[in-house]
Amino acid sequence: AELRDEAPKPPANGGGAEGAPKPWVVELRGVVGDDTDADIAEQDVHNECSDLGDVSAVRYADGAFFVELADKADADRVCKALGGRKYLGRTVQAKLLPQDEK
């Protein structure tokens, strides 16, 4: 390792807690409706997304699920696989959020 006089620079994507990279977040809308239990849907979302990439967290807020993934390629894969897919008769909308919107 090279010695430097200056403080280390944060990761290019801004970093998260304790300097860890910020996760990529996919917003999923259209999963929960009046006839859906959000807890059951959350488990379904976690299972589906885990098959597509390394999921670090799934949270539900404001009528949408927010799926956190460490890798952008995984996040892109989740968007492509789930966007437009039907869940209990509803069409899922998937959107990769820009790094600064999380």
Side-chain angles (χ1 to χ4, degrees):
E2 181 180 314
L3 294 175
R4 296 195 246 163
D5 292 334
E6 63 204 51
K9 292 185 166 83
N13 68 358
E18 299 178 18
K22 278 186 176 180
W24 291 93
V25 177
V26 175
E27 177 183 347
L28 299 174
R29 293 200 173 270
V31 177
V32 174
D34 294 338
D35 61 341
T36 312
D37 182 316
D39 291 334
I40 292 171
E42 181 173 343
Q43 189 60 49
D44 288 346
V45 166
H46 191 280
N47 291 342
E48 288 292 323
C49 293
S50 292
D51 287 344
L52 300 166
D54 186 15
V55 174
S56 57
V58 176
R59 57 190 166 85
Y60 181 76
D62 300 322
F65 283 101
F66 297 89
V67 182
E68 296 182 4
L69 302 111
D71 187 74
K72 185 176 185 300
D74 290 349
D76 287 337
R77 199 168 20 261
V78 166
C79 279
K80 286 179 184 171
L82 299 185
R85 190 167 166 184
K86 295 285 187 183
Y87 182 80
L88 299 177
R90 288 181 294 279
T91 302
V92 176
Q93 299 167 347
K95 173 180 158 185
L96 179 61
L97 298 180
Q99 285 279 315
D100 60 351
E101 284 190 26
K102 301 172 258 3

